[in-house]
Amino acid sequence: MEGPGAYNPRTVEEVFRDFKGRRAGMIKALTTDVEEFFQQCDPEKENLCLYGFPSEQWEVNLPAEEVPPELPEPALGINFARDGMQEKDWLSLVAVHSDAWLLAVAFYFGARFGFDKNDRKRLFGMINDLPTIFEVVTGTAKKQVKEKSSVSNHSSNKSKPNSKVRGSEPQGKFSKAMQPKEEDDGFDDEDEEEHGDTLCGACGENYASDEFWICCDICEKWFHGKCVKITPARAEHIKQYKCPSCSNKRARQ
C-alpha cells in the first residue's frame, strides 16, 4: 500500500527511521487527529485498515489488492468494531494491532535485506527504547515514567520546586523553552536528566529542555507545542488547556 517508487530501507538505521515515521503517523491518527480518524472508520464501509507512512502521515483505506502484498498488511476491519465498543477500548485495540504491524514491517525489511542476528538484536533494541503506540494511547507510558521518576527522586533526595515539565511554574500548565545561559547550565542538565523520559502524548517522543511543552488540564498528558499547534504566546492566554483528544471527546458527548 506504499504506492509507486516506495522507499525500501536497507540498513538498521534506515529501517528504524522508517519505523519511527510510520509510528508517528499512527500515533497522530489515534491522538491529535482522533476525531478525523473516528469519522473515517465508518462501520458501513468495507474492511478498512490504518496505515502509517515513513513521512509521519496516516491513512485509512482498503487493504492492498495484490496477493501477496508488497508489505505485510495491517489489521483488517478496524471500522466494524468502532460503534460496538467504548471509544477508548476501540482505540486501544487499534493501537495494539498497529504495534504488531509496525514490528512485522520492520522485520520484513530485515529479512528481505539479510539482517543477521546482531542486526536484528540492534534493531529490536532501538525499537524497544520507544514506548509502544498502545502505551502512548492509553497513557501507560506516562505512568511508567512517573513511577521511574518517583523512585529516582526518592533515592536522590533532590528537591526542585520549579520543574519545567511538571507544570509547577507560575503559568502552571505549560513549559517554556529556555534559552541556554551559562549560569543556568547546571539546572538545565539536572532538569533534562530528571525529565528526559517524559513523553509527548501526540508523537511519543521524549522531553527536551529546549522545546516548548504544554499540559492538558483534563488528561494531564504533556505535548510538544508544535504537535498540538500551540505557541508560547498563545498559551499565555489559555486559562484551561484541553488537548485535541479531550476536546473531541467532549464535543461528541
Side-chain angles (χ1 to χ4, degrees):
M1 195 75 191
E2 298 295 288
Y7 165 68
N8 285 328
R10 293 173 180 269
T11 67
V12 171
E13 288 73 22
E14 287 176 343
V15 171
F16 181 60
R17 196 178 309 125
D18 180 273
F19 176 93
K20 282 184 67 177
R22 294 176 191 275
R23 172 181 171 275
M26 299 177 99
I27 288 176
K28 204 178 294 181
L30 299 173
T31 55
T32 55
D33 296 347
V34 68
E35 179 71 11
E36 183 182 351
F37 172 68
F38 187 90
Q39 292 174 352
Q40 287 192 26
C41 291
D42 185 350
E44 299 300 318
K45 295 183 179 178
E46 295 182 39
N47 282 304
L48 294 176
C49 304
L50 172 61
Y51 293 90
F53 299 111
S55 60
E56 300 188 5
Q57 301 302 310
W58 61 273
E59 178 182 62
V60 171
N61 210 334
L62 295 170
E65 294 182 1
E66 66 266 27
V67 179
E70 181 183 357
L71 289 177
E73 283 288 296
L76 288 171
I78 58 172
N79 51 316
F80 296 145
R82 191 195 73 177
D83 295 342
M85 305 172 66
Q86 291 284 336
E87 182 182 340
K88 65 178 183 179
D89 294 333
W90 175 66
L91 292 174
S92 296
L93 180 65
V94 176
V96 168
H97 283 293
S98 298
D99 282 321
W101 179 67
L102 287 177
L103 284 172
V105 171
F107 281 86
Y108 163 82
F109 284 130
R112 181 174 176 183
F113 296 115
F115 286 8
D116 62 18
K117 179 181 178 180
N118 290 333
D119 288 336
R120 293 193 301 271
K121 184 176 181 179
R122 189 155 63 93
L123 175 59
F124 183 77
M126 295 166 76
I127 289 172
N128 202 40
D129 282 340
L130 294 173
T132 64
I133 297 177
F134 175 80
E135 288 171 340
V136 172
V137 170
T138 61
T140 307
K142 181 182 174 184
K143 292 175 185 176
Q144 291 173 347
V145 169
K146 276 188 174 181
E147 290 170 4
K148 181 177 179 181
S149 177
S150 175
V151 171
S152 174
N153 289 341
H154 181 72
S155 60
S156 65
N157 291 321
K158 288 182 181 177
S159 175
K160 200 164 42 168
N162 291 321
S163 168
K164 289 187 295 182
V165 213
R166 290 301 171 198
S168 54
E169 293 184 354
Q171 294 88 349
K173 56 186 161 297
F174 61 89
S175 158
K176 288 185 177 180
M178 299 184 67
Q179 298 300 321
K181 296 179 183 177
E182 290 184 10
E183 63 269 25
D184 291 339
D185 283 349
F187 173 81
D188 286 344
D189 291 344
E190 189 179 342
D191 189 76
E192 184 91 28
E193 181 181 346
E194 180 177 346
H195 298 301
D197 287 334
T198 298
L199 304 170
C200 173
C203 69
E205 295 297 319
N206 288 64
Y207 166 78
S209 61
D210 60 347
E211 295 178 305
F212 170 74
W213 285 60
I214 187 165
C215 180
C216 174
D217 287 311
I218 306 302
C219 66
E220 297 186 349
K221 290 182 181 178
W222 285 86
F223 300 86
H224 289 110
K226 63 185 180 182
C227 289
V228 290
K229 298 180 175 61
I230 298 290
T231 63
R234 184 179 172 191
E236 290 279 2
H237 303 285
I238 299 176
K239 291 182 179 180
Q240 184 185 52
Y241 175 67
K242 285 181 273 189
C243 69
S245 180
C246 290
S247 297
N248 292 332
K249 285 179 184 176
R250 182 154 296 191
R252 280 200 293 276
Q253 289 171 355

